[in-house]
Coordinates of all heavy atoms in Angstrom, one line a residue:
M1 N 73.1 98.6 81.2 CA 73.8 99.5 81.9 C 74.6 98.8 83.0 O 74.1 98.0 83.7 CB 72.9 100.5 82.6 CG 73.6 101.5 83.6 SD 72.4 102.4 84.5 CE 72.5 103.9 83.7
R2 N 75.9 99.1 83.0 CA 76.8 98.4 84.0 C 77.0 99.3 85.2 O 77.2 100.5 85.1 CB 78.1 98.2 83.3 CG 79.0 97.4 84.2 CD 80.4 97.2 83.5 NE 81.3 97.3 84.6 CZ 82.5 97.7 84.5 NH1 83.1 97.9 83.4 NH2 83.3 97.7 85.6
R3 N 76.9 98.7 86.4 CA 77.1 99.4 87.6 C 78.6 99.4 88.0 O 79.2 98.4 87.8 CB 76.3 98.8 88.8 CG 74.9 99.0 88.7 CD 74.2 98.6 90.1 NE 72.9 99.1 90.1 CZ 71.8 98.2 90.1 NH1 72.0 96.9 90.0 NH2 70.6 98.7 90.1
V4 N 79.1 100.5 88.4 CA 80.5 100.6 88.8 C 80.5 100.8 90.3 O 80.4 102.0 90.8 CB 81.2 101.8 88.1 CG1 82.7 101.8 88.5 CG2 81.1 101.6 86.6
L5 N 80.5 99.7 91.0 CA 80.4 99.8 92.5 C 81.8 99.4 93.1 O 82.5 98.6 92.5 CB 79.3 98.8 93.0 CG 77.9 99.1 92.6 CD1 77.0 98.0 93.0 CD2 77.4 100.4 93.1
P6 N 82.1 99.9 94.3 CA 83.2 99.4 95.0 C 83.0 98.0 95.5 O 81.8 97.6 95.5 CB 83.4 100.4 96.2 CG 82.1 101.1 96.3 CD 81.4 101.0 95.0
P7 N 84.0 97.3 95.9 CA 83.8 95.9 96.4 C 82.8 95.9 97.6 O 83.0 96.7 98.5 CB 85.2 95.5 96.8 CG 86.1 96.3 96.0 CD 85.4 97.6 95.9
L8 N 81.9 95.0 97.6 CA 80.9 94.8 98.6 C 81.6 94.6 100.0 O 81.2 95.1 101.0 CB 79.9 93.7 98.3 CG 78.8 93.5 99.3 CD1 78.0 94.8 99.6 CD2 77.9 92.4 98.9
N9 N 82.7 93.8 100.0 CA 83.4 93.6 101.3 C 83.9 94.8 101.9 O 83.9 95.0 103.1 CB 84.5 92.5 101.1 CG 83.9 91.1 100.9 OD1 82.8 90.8 101.3 ND2 84.7 90.3 100.4
A10 N 84.4 95.8 101.1 CA 84.9 97.0 101.6 C 83.8 97.8 102.2 O 83.9 98.5 103.2 CB 85.6 97.8 100.5
L11 N 82.6 97.8 101.5 CA 81.4 98.5 102.0 C 81.0 97.9 103.4 O 80.6 98.7 104.3 CB 80.3 98.5 101.0 CG 80.6 99.3 99.7 CD1 79.5 99.1 98.7 CD2 80.9 100.7 100.0
R12 N 81.0 96.6 103.5 CA 80.6 95.9 104.7 C 81.6 96.3 105.8 O 81.2 96.5 107.0 CB 80.6 94.4 104.5 CG 79.4 94.0 103.6 CD 79.4 92.5 103.5 NE 79.0 91.9 104.8 CZ 79.5 90.7 105.2 NH1 80.4 90.1 104.5 NH2 79.1 90.3 106.4
G13 N 82.9 96.3 105.5 CA 83.9 96.7 106.5 C 83.7 98.1 107.0 O 83.8 98.4 108.2
F14 N 83.5 99.0 106.1 CA 83.2 100.4 106.4 C 82.0 100.5 107.3 O 82.0 101.2 108.4 CB 83.0 101.3 105.2 CG 82.5 102.6 105.4 CD1 83.3 103.6 105.9 CD2 81.1 102.9 105.1 CE1 82.7 104.9 106.2 CE2 80.6 104.1 105.4 CZ 81.4 105.1 105.9
E15 N 80.9 99.9 106.9 CA 79.7 100.0 107.7 C 79.8 99.4 109.1 O 79.4 100.0 110.1 CB 78.5 99.3 106.9 CG 77.1 99.6 107.4 CD 76.7 98.6 108.5 OE1 77.3 97.5 108.5 OE2 75.7 98.9 109.2
A16 N 80.4 98.3 109.2 CA 80.6 97.6 110.5 C 81.6 98.4 111.4 O 81.3 98.6 112.6 CB 81.2 96.2 110.3
A17 N 82.6 99.0 110.8 CA 83.5 99.8 111.6 C 82.8 101.1 112.1 O 83.1 101.5 113.2 CB 84.8 100.2 110.8
T18 N 81.9 101.6 111.3 CA 81.2 102.7 111.7 C 80.2 102.4 112.9 O 80.2 103.1 113.9 CB 80.3 103.2 110.5 OG1 81.2 103.6 109.5 CG2 79.5 104.4 110.9
R19 N 79.5 101.3 112.8 CA 78.6 101.0 113.9 C 79.4 100.7 115.1 O 78.9 101.0 116.2 CB 77.8 99.7 113.5 CG 76.6 100.0 112.7 CD 75.7 98.8 112.5 NE 76.3 97.8 111.6 CZ 76.9 96.7 112.1 NH1 77.0 96.4 113.4 NH2 77.5 95.8 111.2
R20 N 80.5 100.0 115.0 CA 81.3 99.6 116.2 C 82.2 100.6 116.7 O 82.8 100.5 117.7 CB 82.1 98.3 115.8 CG 81.2 97.1 115.4 CD 80.4 96.6 116.6 NE 79.9 95.3 116.2 CZ 79.8 94.3 117.0 NH1 80.3 94.4 118.2 NH2 79.3 93.2 116.7
Q21 N 82.5 101.6 115.8 CA 83.5 102.7 116.1 C 84.9 102.0 116.3 O 85.7 102.6 117.1 CB 83.1 103.6 117.2 CG 81.8 104.3 116.9 CD 81.4 105.3 118.0 OE1 81.8 105.1 119.2 NE2 80.7 106.3 117.6
S22 N 85.1 100.9 115.7 CA 86.3 100.2 115.9 C 86.6 99.2 114.7 O 85.7 98.4 114.4 CB 86.3 99.4 117.2 OG 87.3 98.4 117.3
V23 N 87.7 99.3 114.1 CA 88.1 98.4 113.0 C 88.3 97.0 113.6 O 87.8 96.0 113.0 CB 89.3 98.8 112.3 CG1 89.8 97.8 111.3 CG2 89.1 100.2 111.6
R24 N 88.8 96.9 114.8 CA 89.1 95.6 115.4 C 87.7 94.9 115.7 O 87.6 93.7 115.4 CB 89.8 95.7 116.7 CG 90.1 94.4 117.4 CD 90.8 94.6 118.8 NE 90.0 95.4 119.7 CZ 88.9 95.0 120.4 NH1 88.4 93.8 120.2 NH2 88.3 95.8 121.2
E25 N 86.8 95.6 116.2 CA 85.5 95.0 116.5 C 84.7 94.7 115.2 O 84.0 93.7 115.2 CB 84.6 95.9 117.4 CG 85.2 96.0 118.8 CD 84.4 96.9 119.7 OE1 83.2 97.1 119.5 OE2 85.0 97.4 120.7
A26 N 84.9 95.5 114.2 CA 84.3 95.2 112.9 C 84.9 93.9 112.4 O 84.1 93.0 111.8 CB 84.5 96.3 111.9
A27 N 86.2 93.7 112.5 CA 86.8 92.5 112.0 C 86.3 91.3 112.7 O 86.0 90.3 112.1 CB 88.3 92.6 112.2
E28 N 86.1 91.4 114.0 CA 85.5 90.3 114.8 C 84.1 89.9 114.3 O 83.8 88.8 114.1 CB 85.5 90.6 116.3 CG 86.8 90.6 116.9 CD 86.8 91.1 118.4 OE1 85.7 91.2 119.0 OE2 87.9 91.3 118.9
E29 N 83.3 91.0 114.1 CA 81.9 90.8 113.6 C 81.9 90.1 112.2 O 81.1 89.2 112.0 CB 81.2 92.1 113.5 CG 79.8 92.0 112.9 CD 79.2 93.4 112.7 OE1 79.3 94.2 113.6 OE2 78.4 93.6 111.7
L30 N 82.8 90.5 111.4 CA 82.9 89.9 110.0 C 83.7 88.7 109.9 O 83.9 88.2 108.8 CB 83.4 91.0 109.1 CG 82.5 92.3 109.0 CD1 83.2 93.4 108.2 CD2 81.2 92.0 108.4
C31 N 84.3 88.2 111.0 CA 85.1 87.0 111.0 C 86.3 87.2 110.1 O 86.7 86.3 109.3 CB 84.4 85.8 110.6 SG 83.0 85.4 111.8
L32 N 86.9 88.4 110.2 CA 88.1 88.7 109.4 C 89.2 89.2 110.4 O 88.9 89.4 111.5 CB 87.8 89.8 108.4 CG 86.8 89.5 107.3 CD1 86.4 90.8 106.5 CD2 87.4 88.5 106.4
T33 N 90.4 89.4 109.9 CA 91.4 90.0 110.7 C 91.3 91.5 110.6 O 90.8 92.1 109.7 CB 92.8 89.6 110.2 OG1 93.0 90.1 108.9 CG2 93.0 88.1 110.1
H34 N 91.9 92.1 111.7 CA 91.9 93.6 111.8 C 92.6 94.2 110.5 O 92.1 95.1 109.9 CB 92.6 94.0 113.1 CG 92.8 95.5 113.2 ND1 93.8 96.2 112.6 CD2 92.1 96.3 113.9 CE1 93.7 97.4 113.0 NE2 92.6 97.6 113.8
P35 N 93.8 93.6 110.1 CA 94.5 94.2 108.9 C 93.6 94.0 107.7 O 93.7 94.9 106.8 CB 95.8 93.4 108.8 CG 96.0 92.9 110.2 CD 94.7 92.6 110.8
A36 N 92.8 93.0 107.6 CA 92.0 92.8 106.4 C 91.0 93.9 106.3 O 90.7 94.4 105.2 CB 91.3 91.4 106.4
V37 N 90.3 94.2 107.4 CA 89.3 95.2 107.4 C 89.9 96.6 107.1 O 89.4 97.4 106.3 CB 88.4 95.2 108.6 CG1 87.5 96.4 108.7 CG2 87.7 93.9 108.8
S38 N 91.1 96.8 107.7 CA 91.8 98.1 107.5 C 92.2 98.3 106.0 O 92.0 99.3 105.5 CB 93.1 98.1 108.4 OG 92.8 98.3 109.7
Y39 N 92.6 97.2 105.4 CA 93.0 97.2 104.0 C 91.8 97.5 103.2 O 91.8 98.3 102.2 CB 93.6 95.9 103.6 CG 94.0 95.7 102.2 CD1 95.2 96.3 101.7 CD2 93.2 95.1 101.3 CE1 95.5 96.2 100.4 CE2 93.5 94.9 100.0 CZ 94.7 95.5 99.5 OH 95.0 95.4 98.2
Q40 N 90.6 96.9 103.5 CA 89.4 97.1 102.7 C 89.0 98.6 102.8 O 88.6 99.2 101.8 CB 88.3 96.3 103.2 CG 88.4 94.8 102.9 CD 87.4 93.9 103.6 OE1 86.7 94.4 104.5 NE2 87.3 92.7 103.2
I41 N 89.0 99.2 104.0 CA 88.6 100.6 104.2 C 89.6 101.5 103.5 O 89.2 102.4 102.9 CB 88.5 100.9 105.7 CG1 87.3 100.1 106.3 CG2 88.3 102.4 105.9 CD1 87.2 100.1 107.8
R42 N 90.9 101.2 103.6 CA 91.9 102.1 102.9 C 91.6 102.0 101.4 O 91.7 103.0 100.7 CB 93.3 101.7 103.3 CG 93.7 102.1 104.6 CD 95.2 102.0 104.8 NE 95.7 101.9 106.2 CZ 95.4 102.6 107.2 NH1 94.5 103.5 107.2 NH2 96.0 102.4 108.4
G43 N 91.4 100.9 100.9 CA 91.1 100.7 99.5 C 89.8 101.5 99.1 O 89.8 102.1 98.0
L44 N 88.8 101.5 99.9 CA 87.6 102.2 99.6 C 87.9 103.7 99.6 O 87.5 104.5 98.7 CB 86.6 101.9 100.7 CG 85.2 102.5 100.5 CD1 84.5 102.1 99.2 CD2 84.3 102.1 101.7
E45 N 88.7 104.2 100.6 CA 89.1 105.6 100.7 C 89.9 106.0 99.4 O 89.7 107.1 98.9 CB 89.9 105.9 101.9 CG 89.1 105.8 103.2 CD 89.9 106.0 104.5 OE1 91.1 105.5 104.5 OE2 89.4 106.6 105.4
E46 N 90.8 105.1 99.0 CA 91.6 105.4 97.7 C 90.6 105.5 96.5 O 90.8 106.4 95.7 CB 92.6 104.4 97.5 CG 93.8 104.5 98.5 CD 94.8 103.3 98.4 OE1 94.7 102.6 97.4 OE2 95.6 103.2 99.3
R47 N 89.7 104.6 96.5 CA 88.8 104.6 95.4 C 87.9 105.8 95.3 O 87.7 106.4 94.2 CB 87.9 103.3 95.5 CG 87.0 103.2 94.3 CD 86.2 101.9 94.4 NE 85.4 101.7 93.2 CZ 85.4 100.6 92.4 NH1 86.2 99.6 92.7 NH2 84.6 100.6 91.4
V48 N 87.4 106.3 96.4 CA 86.6 107.5 96.4 C 87.4 108.8 96.5 O 86.9 109.9 96.2 CB 85.5 107.5 97.5 CG1 84.5 106.3 97.3 CG2 86.1 107.5 98.9
G49 N 88.7 108.7 96.9 CA 89.6 109.8 96.9 C 89.4 110.7 98.1 O 89.9 111.9 98.0
V50 N 88.8 110.2 99.2 CA 88.7 111.0 100.4 C 88.8 110.1 101.6 O 88.5 108.9 101.5 CB 87.3 111.8 100.5 CG1 87.2 112.8 99.4 CG2 86.1 110.8 100.4
K51 N 89.2 110.7 102.7 CA 89.3 110.0 104.0 C 87.8 109.8 104.5 O 87.1 110.7 104.5 CB 90.1 110.7 105.0 CG 91.6 110.6 104.8 CD 92.4 111.3 105.9 CE 92.2 110.6 107.2 NZ 93.0 111.2 108.3
L52 N 87.5 108.6 104.9 CA 86.2 108.3 105.5 C 86.2 108.3 107.0 O 85.2 108.5 107.7 CB 85.7 107.0 105.0 CG 85.5 106.9 103.4 CD1 85.2 105.5 103.0 CD2 84.5 107.9 103.0
F53 N 87.4 108.1 107.6 CA 87.6 108.0 109.0 C 88.7 108.8 109.5 O 89.7 109.0 108.8 CB 87.9 106.6 109.5 CG 86.7 105.6 109.4 CD1 86.8 104.5 108.6 CD2 85.6 105.8 110.2 CE1 85.8 103.6 108.5 CE2 84.5 104.9 110.1 CZ 84.6 103.8 109.3
E54 N 88.6 109.3 110.7 CA 89.7 109.8 111.5 C 90.1 108.7 112.4 O 89.2 108.1 113.1 CB 89.4 111.1 112.3 CG 89.0 112.3 111.4 CD 90.2 112.8 110.6 OE1 91.4 112.6 111.1 OE2 90.0 113.4 109.6
R55 N 91.3 108.3 112.5 CA 91.7 107.1 113.3 C 92.5 107.6 114.5 O 93.4 108.4 114.4 CB 92.5 106.1 112.5 CG 91.7 105.5 111.4 CD 92.7 105.0 110.3 NE 92.0 104.3 109.2 CZ 91.5 104.9 108.2 NH1 91.6 106.2 108.0 NH2 90.9 104.2 107.2
S56 N 92.2 107.1 115.7 CA 93.0 107.4 116.9 C 92.8 106.3 118.0 O 91.6 106.0 118.3 CB 92.7 108.8 117.4 OG 91.5 108.8 118.0
K57 N 93.9 105.8 118.5 CA 93.8 104.9 119.7 C 92.8 103.7 119.5 O 92.1 103.5 120.4 CB 93.5 105.7 120.9 CG 94.6 106.7 121.3 CD 94.2 107.4 122.5 CE 95.2 108.6 122.7 NZ 94.9 109.4 123.9
G58 N 92.9 103.1 118.3 CA 92.0 101.9 118.1 C 90.6 102.3 117.8 O 89.8 101.4 117.6
R59 N 90.2 103.5 117.8 CA 88.8 103.9 117.5 C 88.8 104.7 116.2 O 89.8 105.2 115.7 CB 88.3 104.8 118.6 CG 88.0 104.1 119.9 CD 86.8 103.2 119.7 NE 86.5 102.5 120.9 CZ 85.9 101.3 120.9 NH1 85.5 100.8 119.8 NH2 85.6 100.7 122.0
V60 N 87.7 104.7 115.5 CA 87.5 105.4 114.3 C 86.3 106.4 114.5 O 85.4 106.1 115.2 CB 87.3 104.5 113.1 CG1 88.5 103.7 112.8 CG2 86.1 103.6 113.3
K61 N 86.4 107.5 113.9 CA 85.4 108.6 113.9 C 85.2 109.0 112.4 O 86.1 109.2 111.7 CB 85.8 109.7 114.7 CG 84.8 110.8 114.8 CD 85.3 112.0 115.7 CE 84.3 113.1 115.6 NZ 84.9 114.3 116.2
L62 N 83.9 109.1 112.0 CA 83.6 109.4 110.7 C 84.0 110.9 110.3 O 83.8 111.8 111.2 CB 82.1 109.3 110.4 CG 81.6 107.9 110.3 CD1 80.0 108.0 110.2 CD2 82.1 107.3 109.0
T63 N 84.5 111.0 109.2 CA 84.7 112.4 108.6 C 83.4 112.8 108.0 O 82.4 112.1 108.0 CB 85.8 112.4 107.5 OG1 85.3 111.5 106.4 CG2 87.1 111.9 108.0
E64 N 83.3 114.1 107.5 CA 82.1 114.5 106.9 C 81.8 113.7 105.7 O 80.6 113.3 105.5 CB 82.3 116.0 106.5 CG 81.0 116.6 105.8 CD 79.8 116.5 106.6 OE1 79.8 116.6 107.8 OE2 78.7 116.3 105.9
A65 N 82.8 113.3 104.9 CA 82.5 112.4 103.7 C 82.0 111.1 104.2 O 81.1 110.5 103.6 CB 83.8 112.3 102.9
G66 N 82.6 110.5 105.3 CA 82.1 109.3 105.8 C 80.6 109.3 106.2 O 79.9 108.4 106.0
R67 N 80.3 110.4 106.9 CA 78.9 110.6 107.3 C 77.9 110.7 106.1 O 76.8 110.1 106.1 CB 78.7 111.9 108.1 CG 79.2 111.7 109.6 CD 78.8 112.9 110.4 NE 79.6 114.1 110.2 CZ 80.8 114.3 110.6 NH1 81.4 113.4 111.3 NH2 81.4 115.4 110.3
R68 N 78.4 111.3 105.0 CA 77.6 111.4 103.8 C 77.4 110.0 103.1 O 76.4 109.8 102.6 CB 78.2 112.4 102.8 CG 78.0 113.8 103.2 CD 78.3 114.9 102.1 NE 79.3 114.5 101.2 CZ 80.6 114.9 101.2 NH1 81.0 115.8 102.1 NH2 81.4 114.5 100.2
L69 N 78.4 109.2 103.2 CA 78.3 107.9 102.6 C 77.5 106.9 103.5 O 76.8 106.1 103.0 CB 79.7 107.3 102.4 CG 79.8 105.9 101.9 CD1 79.2 105.7 100.5 CD2 81.3 105.4 101.9
L70 N 77.6 107.1 104.8 CA 77.0 106.1 105.7 C 75.4 106.1 105.6 O 74.9 105.0 105.5 CB 77.3 106.5 107.2 CG 76.7 105.6 108.2 CD1 77.2 104.1 108.0 CD2 77.0 106.1 109.6
V71 N 74.8 107.2 105.4 CA 73.3 107.2 105.4 C 72.8 106.4 104.2 O 72.0 105.4 104.5 CB 72.8 108.6 105.4 CG1 71.3 108.6 105.2 CG2 73.1 109.3 106.7
P72 N 73.1 106.7 103.0 CA 72.6 105.8 101.9 C 73.1 104.4 101.9 O 72.3 103.5 101.5 CB 73.0 106.6 100.6 CG 74.1 107.5 101.0 CD 74.0 107.8 102.5
L73 N 74.3 104.2 102.4 CA 74.8 102.8 102.5 C 74.0 102.0 103.5 O 73.7 100.9 103.2 CB 76.3 102.8 102.8 CG 77.0 101.5 102.8 CD1 77.0 100.8 101.5 CD2 78.4 101.6 103.3
S74 N 73.8 102.6 104.7 CA 73.0 101.8 105.7 C 71.6 101.6 105.2 O 71.1 100.5 105.4 CB 73.0 102.7 107.0 OG 74.2 102.7 107.6
E75 N 71.0 102.5 104.5 CA 69.7 102.3 104.0 C 69.7 101.2 102.9 O 68.8 100.3 102.9 CB 69.1 103.6 103.3 CG 68.8 104.7 104.3 CD 68.5 106.0 103.7 OE1 68.6 106.2 102.5 OE2 68.1 106.9 104.5
A76 N 70.7 101.1 102.1 CA 70.8 100.1 101.1 C 71.0 98.7 101.8 O 70.3 97.7 101.4 CB 72.0 100.4 100.2
F77 N 71.8 98.6 102.8 CA 72.0 97.3 103.5 C 70.7 96.9 104.2 O 70.3 95.8 104.2 CB 73.1 97.4 104.5 CG 74.5 97.3 103.9 CD1 75.6 97.9 104.6 CD2 74.7 96.6 102.8 CE1 76.9 97.7 104.0 CE2 76.0 96.5 102.2 CZ 77.1 97.0 102.9
D78 N 70.0 97.9 104.7 CA 68.7 97.6 105.4 C 67.7 97.1 104.3 O 66.9 96.1 104.6 CB 68.1 98.8 106.0 CG 68.8 99.2 107.3 OD1 69.5 98.4 107.9 OD2 68.6 100.4 107.7
R79 N 67.7 97.6 103.1 CA 66.8 97.2 102.1 C 67.2 95.8 101.6 O 66.3 94.9 101.4 CB 66.8 98.1 100.9 CG 66.1 99.5 101.3 CD 66.0 100.4 100.1 NE 65.0 99.8 99.2 CZ 64.8 100.3 98.0 NH1 65.4 101.4 97.5 NH2 63.9 99.7 97.2
I80 N 68.5 95.5 101.5 CA 68.9 94.2 101.1 C 68.5 93.2 102.2 O 68.0 92.1 101.9 CB 70.5 94.1 100.9 CG1 70.8 95.0 99.6 CG2 71.0 92.7 100.7 CD1 72.3 95.3 99.5
D81 N 68.7 93.5 103.4 CA 68.4 92.6 104.5 C 66.9 92.4 104.5 O 66.4 91.2 104.7 CB 68.8 93.3 105.9 CG 68.6 92.3 107.0 OD1 68.9 91.2 107.0 OD2 68.0 92.8 108.1
G82 N 66.1 93.4 104.3 CA 64.6 93.3 104.2 C 64.2 92.4 103.1 O 63.3 91.6 103.2
A83 N 64.9 92.5 101.9 CA 64.5 91.7 100.8 C 64.7 90.2 101.1 O 63.9 89.4 100.7 CB 65.3 92.1 99.5
F84 N 65.8 89.9 101.7 CA 66.1 88.5 102.0 C 65.2 88.0 103.1 O 64.8 86.8 103.1 CB 67.6 88.3 102.4 CG 68.4 88.2 101.2 CD1 69.1 89.3 100.7 CD2 68.5 87.0 100.5 CE1 69.9 89.2 99.5 CE2 69.3 86.9 99.3 CZ 70.0 88.0 98.9
A85 N 64.9 88.8 104.1 CA 63.9 88.5 105.2 C 62.6 88.1 104.5 O 61.9 87.2 104.9 CB 63.8 89.6 106.2
A86 N 62.1 88.9 103.5 CA 60.9 88.7 102.9 C 60.9 87.3 102.1 O 59.8 86.6 102.1 CB 60.5 89.8 101.9
L87 N 62.0 87.0 101.6 CA 62.1 85.7 100.9 C 62.0 84.5 101.9 O 61.5 83.4 101.5 CB 63.4 85.5 100.2 CG 63.6 86.4 98.9 CD1 65.0 86.2 98.4 CD2 62.6 85.9 97.9
R88 N 62.5 84.7 103.1 CA 62.5 83.6 104.1 C 61.1 83.4 104.7 O 60.8 82.3 105.2 CB 63.4 83.9 105.2 CG 64.9 83.8 104.8 CD 65.8 83.9 106.0 NE 65.8 85.2 106.6 CZ 66.6 86.2 106.3 NH1 67.5 86.1 105.3 NH2 66.6 87.4 106.9
T89 N 60.2 84.4 104.6 CA 58.8 84.2 105.2 C 57.8 83.7 104.2 O 58.0 83.7 103.0 CB 58.3 85.6 105.7 OG1 58.3 86.5 104.7 CG2 59.2 86.0 106.9

């Protein structure tokens, strides 16, 4: 069975922008440029066919669709992080 997932970098950009409530701050965290993270998020929105953020004055606010995506995505990242932490111990 083949998984059809969006690019992991786009998911990371979305999640970081959500936590920071800023694409610019997400870009700094991910060591990317602001336009790169914006491009990733726009590509993710195009792929799912809905807006994930409302943008204004350098800040981002989740739409209802963005909130629905954030919970399972954050849980998945937490599980991945936990799996690697378990390998290190």
Side-chain angles (χ1 to χ4, degrees):
M1 172 190 259
R2 187 182 140 204
R3 287 193 171 112
V4 181
L5 299 172
L8 182 57
N9 285 338
L11 297 175
R12 289 181 69 216
F14 166 77
E15 192 270 341
T18 298
R19 276 188 293 99
R20 302 291 191 138
Q21 296 183 336
S22 166
V23 174
R24 180 186 56 77
E25 291 179 24
E28 289 174 9
E29 175 182 322
L30 299 172
C31 299
L32 297 170
T33 64
H34 178 279
V37 175
S38 290
Y39 178 80
Q40 290 173 347
I41 293 170
R42 285 195 204 311
L44 184 59
E45 289 175 324
E46 288 174 11
R47 185 177 183 125
V48 298
V50 295
K51 283 181 66 174
L52 300 171
F53 288 119
E54 296 293 335
R55 296 159 176 87
S56 71
K57 299 180 185 176
R59 290 286 179 207
V60 291
K61 181 180 173 191
L62 284 172
T63 62
E64 178 58 33
R67 282 190 289 279
R68 287 195 327 260
L69 176 61
L70 179 62
V71 172
L73 182 62
S74 292
E75 290 171 356
F77 281 153
D78 288 344
R79 290 185 69 186
I80 292 168
D81 186 46
F84 279 97
L87 287 175
R88 289 188 294 269
T89 58

